[in-house]
Amino acid sequence: PRCEKTTPNWQVIHTELKRKGVTLQLLWEEYKRANPRGYQYSWFAQLYRTWAKTKDVWMPQMHKAGEKAFVDYSGLTVPIYTSNLQDVLYKAEIFVGVLGASDLIYCEATKSQTLPDWITSHQNMLCYYKGAPELFIPDNLRSGVTKPGRYEPLCNRTYEEFAQHYDCMIMPARSYCPKDKAKVEKAVQLVQQRVLAME
């Protein structure tokens, strides 16, 4: 007799996908372990995307070349050891930047998220890109944004002077609106999966 396949709880999967490091592939593997006769990955992904289209309303963002650079920290750290590899000197923060149009990712490890490291990471990123964008879009990090706000966020003075030097503008993403900086969120996820997970 034909076996009916178990339909996953799409709402649970949708919620799980919002967690750091969770991918549709990982959720499918969990589903397949629990339901060996369940859907294969391609059909599972297609069913989820069809369900998600009815759930979320979204608008794709168009990016011109050289217009935007999205910047953020990974949230995960990497231990930096002493020369004898016995003691941890500090936990390095991972700075991530990505260009809007090309999706070219830049990442580096820094000692902290303080203002000097924040500015140095930006300088290194611009050297890597061999140019400056028209607009920096950071998260509401204290090193970059002194006072977050929906309409008039207040940026750190040093950060503003840095942007003026390169003839750029700063437009911080709105608080609790990850879709404003979806490019860097995806870049952070890739860095966590492809670089930090291998560590």
Side-chain angles (χ1 to χ4, degrees):
R2 187 175 174 187
C3 179
E4 288 294 325
K5 297 188 186 303
T6 306
T7 302
N9 185 334
W10 299 122
Q11 183 60 52
V12 171
I13 286 170
H14 188 69
T15 305
E16 286 293 305
L17 278 171
K18 294 179 182 177
R19 292 178 40 219
K20 280 188 179 178
V22 176
T23 63
L24 198 56
Q25 175 80 29
L26 290 172
L27 294 172
W28 171 77
E29 288 171 6
E30 288 180 13
Y31 162 78
K32 196 66 173 163
R33 277 194 296 274
N35 304 283
R37 293 177 161 232
Y39 300 114
Q40 296 304 316
Y41 178 72
S42 58
W43 189 241
F44 178 89
Q46 178 63 42
L47 288 173
Y48 170 73
R49 289 187 190 108
T50 303
W51 178 88
K53 280 181 185 174
T54 64
K55 179 71 180 164
D56 289 335
V57 176
W58 57 278
M59 183 179 81
Q61 294 183 19
M62 302 304 291
H63 301 286
K64 290 191 305 183
E67 183 184 34
K68 298 175 186 171
F70 299 84
V71 291
D72 199 359
Y73 279 101
S74 163
L76 298 181
T77 57
V78 176
I80 304 297
Y81 293 93
T82 56
S83 56
N84 61 8
L85 300 177
Q86 298 299 317
D87 301 315
V88 176
L89 275 177
Y90 60 90
K91 300 249 181 172
E93 301 286 345
I94 306 299
F95 173 89
V96 180
V98 62
L99 292 176
S102 65
D103 290 334
L104 182 60
I105 297 171
Y106 171 81
C107 72
E108 72 172 32
T110 64
K111 194 167 187 178
S112 67
Q113 292 187 16
T114 57
L115 184 61
D117 288 326
W118 175 250
I119 297 296
T120 302
S121 294
H122 276 70
Q123 286 177 318
N124 295 340
M125 177 181 72
L126 296 183
C127 287
Y128 175 74
Y129 290 149
K130 295 182 173 54
E134 295 174 13
L135 193 62
F136 289 117
I137 302 179
D139 198 359
N140 287 290
L141 179 77
R142 286 193 182 165
S143 298
V145 181
T146 309
K147 181 183 172 189
R150 186 177 179 93
Y151 300 107
E152 290 188 29
L154 185 63
C155 293
N156 182 291
R157 186 175 172 186
T158 305
Y159 191 33
E160 280 187 342
E161 289 174 356
F162 169 82
Q164 286 171 5
H165 176 76
Y166 286 99
D167 198 23
C168 303
M169 299 292 292
I170 302 168
M171 188 176 78
R174 294 171 295 168
S175 298
Y176 308 109
C177 293
K179 287 185 180 177
D180 285 2
K181 54 187 177 67
K183 290 272 184 180
V184 77
E185 294 290 333
K186 182 65 177 172
V188 163
Q189 188 181 49
L190 284 170
V191 168
Q192 288 174 347
Q193 290 171 357
R194 303 292 179 179
V195 180
L196 303 184
M198 306 290 186
E199 178 265 320

